[in-house]
Amino acid sequence: MYMLNDSEAAELLSFLTPATRPDIKGHATSYILGLSANRDGCRFLRTKPDFIAALFALTSDPSIAIAKDCYHILINLSAEETLHQVLLTDIGVVPTLLKNLKDPQYPFSDQICTILSNLTRHEKTCKTLFKLLQEEIGLAHLVDMLCTEGYNPHAKLHYLAPLLSNLTQMPDARRFLMDRDRCVLQRLLPFTQSQASAVRRGGVIGVLRNCCFDYANHEWLLGNQVDILPFLLLPLAGPEELSEEEYEGLPVDLQYLPEDKKREEDPDIRKMLLETLMLLAATKDGRRTLKDKNVYVVMREFHRWEKDPKVTTACEKLVEVLIGDEPEEGMENLLEVDIPEDVQEKLKAADKEQQELQAEEERIRKQQEEEQTHTRQE
């Protein structure tokens, strides 16, 4: 890809000013948008912080098209981890982004959510941004924006969910969401089945999974105050008929589901749900609750339906815990058990072998289907 020399770069930079004629400015931002769409272009722009500062200033340009181009450039740049420090520290984009995000009439709030979500993917920049967020807007307001339908008529704000998921890498963020006097986490639970957006569903489930790493809260999460289990199980449950005995043990929300009940369509989200259940099953009380609530029955039917090898493996691991014997005394909390390195290596090797076997079985199955289709056509 052709890169600008110094004189060409200087000329292009001179066009990125509020006073430049709109058509020339538009051509310049459009060119840089194309440049930012690949890694080499992002690396080039990383060496040109003046360009990034000028583009950030143009996000407030009177021309909607130019401002939109500049936001899309920032989305592309924020996807590159090597540019995070430039954006956060050198340019200092976050305070302005947060101020604009808080405005319920701001037209580019969706783009801001995506940028902030990108910037919080990695722990170091996530810590920095979380601190700024608490100073400028506050986590409570962020949750309120996500949960308030029509908060901004110009934006859907779906990417607030993965932003929250990234932020809950931080213990302080998890503590806030699980503050028992605030009732914050409970507001997010219905979005595990949001039909509006897979991004929103996945982000909220990511939040729940992160919260379940704090095993001291498992009893509260599974208890009546939160009752997290139905919200994790319902997306995995199908319309299959069960015996009366099996129905009786299930949470009420999972009993006698309609014939047209569909499971979560995104395999990555299904896998996250299983991982969250697995975390809850890591403690003795959690395992007891999952067993008492007949989670195995839902997993049995789910396993028969599931076709994705990675999701199937996650399901099988959960089932092994649910139907297996209880760990010996002193090892009941699976999140606290230290596994020797040689055992870890054996488990990784076995896991890899199982995945390869499943991939080969899937390849053979698809080949057989193609052969059958070819035969029918003949």
Side-chain angles (χ1 to χ4, degrees):
M1 180 180 178
Y2 175 76
M3 288 299 163
L4 303 171
N5 59 39
D6 289 344
S7 62
E8 290 170 330
E11 183 179 13
L12 183 61
L13 179 61
S14 70
F15 299 147
L16 302 176
T17 67
T20 302
R21 230 173 61 196
D23 58 330
I24 296 175
K25 193 164 37 178
H27 284 304
T29 56
S30 179
Y31 174 80
I32 298 171
L33 178 58
L35 200 65
S36 70
N38 63 78
R39 182 160 289 183
D40 287 340
C42 286
R43 285 173 179 165
F44 170 77
L45 290 169
R46 189 179 66 200
T47 65
K48 307 288 183 186
D50 289 350
F51 268 78
I52 302 174
L55 291 162
F56 182 57
L58 288 178
T59 57
S60 58
D61 195 85
S63 165
I64 296 294
I66 289 171
K68 195 172 185 178
D69 272 357
C70 291
Y71 268 117
H72 283 152
I73 293 166
L74 291 171
I75 289 172
N76 291 342
L77 297 181
S78 64
E80 281 288 324
E81 185 184 0
T82 55
L83 274 150
H84 284 187
Q85 284 303 122
V86 176
L87 291 166
L88 264 82
T89 307
D90 299 350
I91 313 299
V93 300
V94 173
T96 302
L97 292 178
L98 292 174
K99 180 185 175 184
N100 290 336
L101 178 62
K102 194 160 60 171
D103 179 356
Q105 294 297 324
Y106 194 68
F108 299 110
S109 287
D110 278 336
Q111 287 84 348
I112 291 175
C113 291
T114 306
I115 294 166
L116 296 176
S117 178
N118 285 343
L119 290 174
T120 51
R121 284 179 183 172
H122 304 281
E123 186 176 359
K124 184 178 179 182
T125 47
C126 186
K127 284 181 178 178
T128 304
L129 197 144
F130 180 61
K131 184 174 181 294
L132 291 169
L133 175 76
Q134 290 293 72
E135 293 170 357
E136 299 287 336
I137 190 171
L139 200 56
H141 192 67
L142 206 66
V143 172
D144 197 50
M145 290 168 62
L146 178 65
C147 297
T148 302
E149 187 176 353
Y151 176 87
N152 184 332
H154 309 291
K156 299 182 184 300
L157 302 180
H158 294 319
Y159 272 88
L160 281 178
L163 170 59
L164 278 171
S165 177
N166 293 342
L167 291 171
T168 50
Q169 297 175 78
M170 306 292 105
D172 285 349
R174 294 197 297 272
R175 275 193 289 272
F176 174 83
L177 291 182
M178 291 191 285
D179 185 322
R180 302 185 185 194
D181 296 324
R182 292 181 186 271
C183 196
V184 177
L185 193 68
Q186 292 91 324
R187 297 182 69 191
L188 298 176
L189 293 175
F191 294 117
T192 60
Q193 299 168 77
S194 168
Q195 295 303 305
S197 165
V199 169
R200 184 176 287 242
R201 290 199 308 277
V204 166
I205 291 163
V207 170
L208 301 181
R209 181 181 60 179
N210 289 343
C211 287
C212 287
F213 277 104
D214 293 345
Y215 60 82
N217 287 298
H218 282 188
E219 186 178 354
W220 176 72
L221 290 166
L222 289 164
N224 292 332
Q225 280 188 285
V226 181
D227 196 20
I228 194 175
L229 193 56
F231 295 96
L232 299 175
L233 283 179
L234 204 51
L236 300 174
E240 295 85 4
E241 289 189 17
L242 306 173
S243 70
E244 288 298 323
E245 185 181 349
E246 290 171 335
Y247 276 129
E248 286 175 8
L250 288 169
V252 174
D253 291 347
L254 278 94
Q255 295 181 13
Y256 303 101
L257 296 174
E259 292 181 1
D260 60 351
K261 169 68 173 71
K262 297 188 185 302
R263 290 181 168 93
E264 168 59 51
E265 60 187 23
D266 188 309
D268 290 330
I269 294 179
R270 296 198 299 271
K271 186 169 180 285
M272 272 200 295
L273 286 162
L274 292 167
E275 289 166 351
T276 309
L277 290 166
M278 189 70 174
L279 286 168
L280 290 170
T283 54
K284 185 176 181 179
D285 289 339
R287 284 191 298 278
R288 184 186 298 117
T289 301
L290 266 60
K291 290 176 181 180
D292 290 346
K293 295 292 185 180
N294 259 0
V295 171
Y296 165 73
V297 173
V298 179
M299 291 301 101
R300 181 191 68 199
E301 300 303 320
F302 175 79
H303 186 267
R304 290 172 179 167
W305 173 88
E306 182 59 66
K307 297 293 186 290
D308 188 289
K310 290 182 293 185
V311 186
T312 300
T313 299
C315 180
E316 289 168 354
K317 287 178 179 177
L318 176 59
V319 168
E320 285 173 13
V321 172
L322 293 176
I323 66 174
D325 295 331
E326 274 294 301
E328 60 187 74
E329 188 176 349
M331 302 182 73
E332 293 95 342
N333 189 333
L334 304 181
L335 292 172
E336 288 185 328
V337 175
D338 290 326
I339 303 174
E341 283 190 24
D342 61 324
V343 176
Q344 287 187 45
E345 291 303 317
K346 288 179 183 177
L347 289 171
K348 286 179 183 176
D351 194 33
K352 184 179 179 183
E353 185 179 343
Q354 185 179 19
Q355 289 180 15
E356 289 174 350
L357 179 62
Q358 287 176 335
E360 178 63 16
E361 289 174 351
E362 179 69 8
R363 186 190 66 78
I364 293 170
R365 185 184 66 78
K366 286 183 178 179
Q367 185 178 0
Q368 290 172 341
E369 287 178 354
E370 288 173 1
E371 288 173 356
Q372 289 172 0
T373 303
H374 182 66
T375 303
R376 285 197 295 271
Q377 287 174 345
E378 289 180 341

Coordinates of all heavy atoms in Angstrom, one line a residue, residues 260-294:
D260 N -42.6 -23.4 19.6 CA -41.8 -22.5 18.7 C -40.6 -21.9 19.5 O -39.9 -21.0 18.9 CB -42.6 -21.5 18.1 CG -43.2 -20.5 19.1 OD1 -43.2 -20.8 20.3 OD2 -43.8 -19.5 18.6
K261 N -40.3 -22.4 20.7 CA -39.2 -21.8 21.5 C -37.9 -22.1 20.7 O -37.5 -23.2 20.3 CB -39.1 -22.5 22.8 CG -37.8 -22.2 23.6 CD -37.7 -20.8 24.1 CE -36.5 -20.5 25.0 NZ -35.2 -20.6 24.3
K262 N -37.1 -21.0 20.5 CA -35.8 -21.2 19.8 C -34.6 -20.9 20.7 O -34.8 -20.1 21.7 CB -35.7 -20.2 18.6 CG -36.8 -20.5 17.6 CD -36.6 -19.6 16.3 CE -37.7 -19.8 15.3 NZ -37.8 -21.2 14.9
R263 N -33.5 -21.5 20.5 CA -32.3 -21.3 21.3 C -31.5 -20.1 20.7 O -31.8 -19.7 19.6 CB -31.5 -22.6 21.3 CG -32.1 -23.7 22.0 CD -31.2 -24.9 22.0 NE -31.6 -26.0 23.0 CZ -32.4 -27.0 22.7 NH1 -32.9 -27.1 21.4 NH2 -32.7 -27.9 23.6
E264 N -30.6 -19.6 21.6 CA -29.7 -18.6 21.1 C -29.0 -19.0 19.8 O -28.5 -20.1 19.7 CB -28.7 -18.3 22.2 CG -27.5 -17.5 21.8 CD -27.9 -16.1 21.4 OE1 -28.7 -15.4 22.1 OE2 -27.5 -15.7 20.3
E265 N -29.1 -18.1 18.9 CA -28.5 -18.4 17.5 C -27.0 -18.2 17.4 O -26.4 -18.8 16.5 CB -29.3 -17.6 16.5 CG -29.1 -16.1 16.7 CD -29.9 -15.2 15.7 OE1 -30.9 -15.7 15.2 OE2 -29.5 -14.1 15.5
D266 N -26.4 -17.4 18.2 CA -25.0 -17.1 18.1 C -24.2 -18.1 18.9 O -24.3 -18.2 20.1 CB -24.7 -15.7 18.6 CG -23.3 -15.3 18.3 OD1 -22.4 -16.0 18.7 OD2 -23.1 -14.1 17.8
P267 N -23.3 -18.9 18.3 CA -22.5 -20.0 19.0 C -21.6 -19.4 20.0 O -21.4 -20.0 21.1 CB -21.8 -20.7 17.9 CG -21.8 -19.8 16.7 CD -23.0 -19.0 16.8
D268 N -21.0 -18.2 19.8 CA -20.1 -17.6 20.8 C -20.9 -17.2 22.0 O -20.4 -17.4 23.1 CB -19.5 -16.3 20.2 CG -18.5 -16.7 19.1 OD1 -17.9 -17.8 19.2 OD2 -18.3 -15.9 18.2
I269 N -22.1 -16.8 21.9 CA -22.9 -16.4 23.0 C -23.4 -17.7 23.8 O -23.3 -17.7 25.0 CB -24.2 -15.6 22.6 CG1 -23.7 -14.2 22.1 CG2 -25.1 -15.4 23.8 CD1 -24.9 -13.3 21.6
R270 N -23.7 -18.7 23.0 CA -24.0 -20.0 23.7 C -22.9 -20.5 24.5 O -23.0 -21.0 25.7 CB -24.4 -21.0 22.7 CG -25.7 -20.7 21.9 CD -26.3 -21.9 21.2 NE -25.4 -22.6 20.2 CZ -25.4 -22.2 19.0 NH1 -26.1 -21.3 18.5 NH2 -24.6 -22.9 18.1
K271 N -21.7 -20.4 24.0 CA -20.5 -20.8 24.7 C -20.3 -20.0 26.0 O -19.9 -20.5 27.0 CB -19.3 -20.7 23.8 CG -18.0 -21.3 24.4 CD -16.9 -21.4 23.3 CE -15.6 -22.0 23.8 NZ -14.9 -21.0 24.6
M272 N -20.5 -18.7 25.9 CA -20.3 -17.8 27.1 C -21.3 -18.2 28.2 O -21.0 -18.2 29.3 CB -20.5 -16.3 26.7 CG -19.3 -15.7 26.2 SD -19.4 -13.8 26.3 CE -20.6 -13.5 25.1
L273 N -22.5 -18.5 27.7 CA -23.6 -18.9 28.7 C -23.1 -20.2 29.5 O -23.2 -20.3 30.7 CB -24.9 -19.2 28.0 CG -25.7 -17.9 27.6 CD1 -26.7 -18.3 26.5 CD2 -26.3 -17.2 28.7
L274 N -22.6 -21.1 28.7 CA -22.1 -22.4 29.3 C -20.9 -22.1 30.2 O -20.8 -22.7 31.3 CB -21.7 -23.4 28.2 CG -22.9 -23.9 27.4 CD1 -22.3 -24.6 26.1 CD2 -23.7 -24.9 28.2
E275 N -20.0 -21.2 29.8 CA -18.9 -20.9 30.7 C -19.3 -20.2 32.0 O -18.7 -20.4 33.0 CB -17.9 -19.9 29.9 CG -17.2 -20.6 28.8 CD -16.5 -19.7 27.8 OE1 -16.8 -18.4 27.9 OE2 -15.7 -20.1 27.0
T276 N -20.4 -19.4 31.9 CA -20.9 -18.8 33.1 C -21.5 -19.8 34.0 O -21.3 -19.8 35.3 CB -22.0 -17.7 32.7 OG1 -21.5 -16.9 31.7 CG2 -22.4 -16.9 33.9
L277 N -22.3 -20.8 33.5 CA -22.8 -21.9 34.3 C -21.7 -22.7 34.9 O -21.8 -23.1 36.1 CB -23.7 -22.8 33.4 CG -25.0 -22.1 33.0 CD1 -25.7 -23.0 31.9 CD2 -26.0 -22.0 34.2
M278 N -20.6 -22.9 34.1 CA -19.5 -23.6 34.6 C -18.8 -22.9 35.8 O -18.4 -23.6 36.8 CB -18.4 -23.8 33.5 CG -17.3 -24.8 33.8 SD -17.9 -26.5 33.9 CE -16.3 -27.3 34.2
L279 N -18.7 -21.6 35.8 CA -18.2 -20.9 36.9 C -19.1 -21.0 38.1 O -18.5 -21.2 39.3 CB -18.1 -19.4 36.5 CG -16.9 -19.0 35.6 CD1 -17.1 -17.6 35.1 CD2 -15.6 -19.2 36.2
L280 N -20.4 -21.0 37.9 CA -21.3 -21.2 39.1 C -21.2 -22.6 39.7 O -21.4 -22.8 40.9 CB -22.7 -20.9 38.6 CG -23.1 -19.4 38.3 CD1 -24.4 -19.3 37.7 CD2 -23.0 -18.6 39.6
A281 N -20.8 -23.5 38.8 CA -20.7 -24.9 39.2 C -19.4 -25.2 39.9 O -19.1 -26.3 40.4 CB -20.9 -25.9 38.0
A282 N -18.5 -24.2 40.0 CA -17.2 -24.4 40.6 C -17.2 -24.4 42.1 O -16.3 -24.8 42.7 CB -16.2 -23.2 40.1
T283 N -18.3 -23.9 42.7 CA -18.4 -23.9 44.1 C -19.4 -25.0 44.6 O -20.4 -25.3 43.8 CB -18.9 -22.5 44.7 OG1 -20.1 -22.2 44.0 CG2 -17.8 -21.5 44.4
K284 N -19.3 -25.5 45.8 CA -20.1 -26.5 46.3 C -21.6 -26.1 46.3 O -22.5 -26.9 45.8 CB -19.7 -26.9 47.7 CG -20.4 -28.1 48.3 CD -19.8 -28.5 49.6 CE -20.6 -29.7 50.2 NZ -20.0 -30.1 51.5
D285 N -21.9 -24.9 46.8 CA -23.3 -24.4 46.9 C -23.8 -24.2 45.5 O -25.0 -24.5 45.2 CB -23.3 -23.1 47.7 CG -23.1 -23.4 49.2 OD1 -23.3 -24.5 49.6 OD2 -22.8 -22.4 49.8
G286 N -23.0 -23.8 44.6 CA -23.4 -23.6 43.2 C -23.8 -24.9 42.5 O -24.8 -25.0 41.9
R287 N -22.9 -25.9 42.7 CA -23.2 -27.2 42.1 C -24.5 -27.8 42.7 O -25.3 -28.3 41.9 CB -22.0 -28.2 42.4 CG -20.8 -27.9 41.5 CD -19.8 -29.1 41.7 NE -19.3 -29.2 43.0 CZ -18.3 -28.5 43.5 NH1 -17.8 -27.6 42.8 NH2 -17.9 -28.7 44.8
R288 N -24.7 -27.6 44.0 CA -25.9 -28.1 44.6 C -27.2 -27.5 44.0 O -28.1 -28.1 43.6 CB -25.9 -27.9 46.1 CG -27.1 -28.5 46.8 CD -27.2 -28.2 48.3 NE -26.0 -28.7 49.0 CZ -25.1 -27.9 49.6 NH1 -25.2 -26.6 49.5 NH2 -24.1 -28.4 50.2
T289 N -27.1 -26.1 43.8 CA -28.2 -25.4 43.2 C -28.5 -25.9 41.8 O -29.6 -26.1 41.4 CB -28.0 -23.9 43.2 OG1 -27.8 -23.5 44.6 CG2 -29.2 -23.2 42.6
L290 N -27.4 -26.0 41.0 CA -27.6 -26.4 39.6 C -28.1 -27.8 39.5 O -28.9 -28.1 38.6 CB -26.2 -26.3 38.8 CG -26.0 -25.0 38.1 CD1 -26.0 -23.8 39.0 CD2 -24.6 -25.0 37.3
K291 N -27.7 -28.7 40.4 CA -28.3 -30.0 40.4 C -29.7 -30.1 40.8 O -30.6 -30.7 40.2 CB -27.4 -30.9 41.3 CG -26.0 -31.2 40.7 CD -25.2 -32.0 41.7 CE -23.8 -32.3 41.1 NZ -22.9 -33.1 42.0
D292 N -30.0 -29.3 41.9 CA -31.4 -29.3 42.4 C -32.4 -28.7 41.4 O -33.5 -29.1 41.3 CB -31.5 -28.4 43.7 CG -30.8 -29.1 44.9 OD1 -30.5 -30.3 44.7 OD2 -30.5 -28.4 45.9
K293 N -31.9 -27.8 40.5 CA -32.7 -27.1 39.5 C -32.7 -27.8 38.2 O -33.2 -27.3 37.2 CB -32.3 -25.7 39.3 CG -32.4 -24.8 40.5 CD -33.9 -24.5 40.9 CE -34.0 -23.5 42.0 NZ -35.4 -23.2 42.3
N294 N -32.2 -29.1 38.2 CA -32.3 -29.9 37.0 C -31.6 -29.3 35.8 O -32.1 -29.5 34.6 CB -33.8 -30.2 36.6 CG -34.2 -31.6 37.1 OD1 -33.4 -32.3 37.7 ND2 -35.4 -32.0 36.8

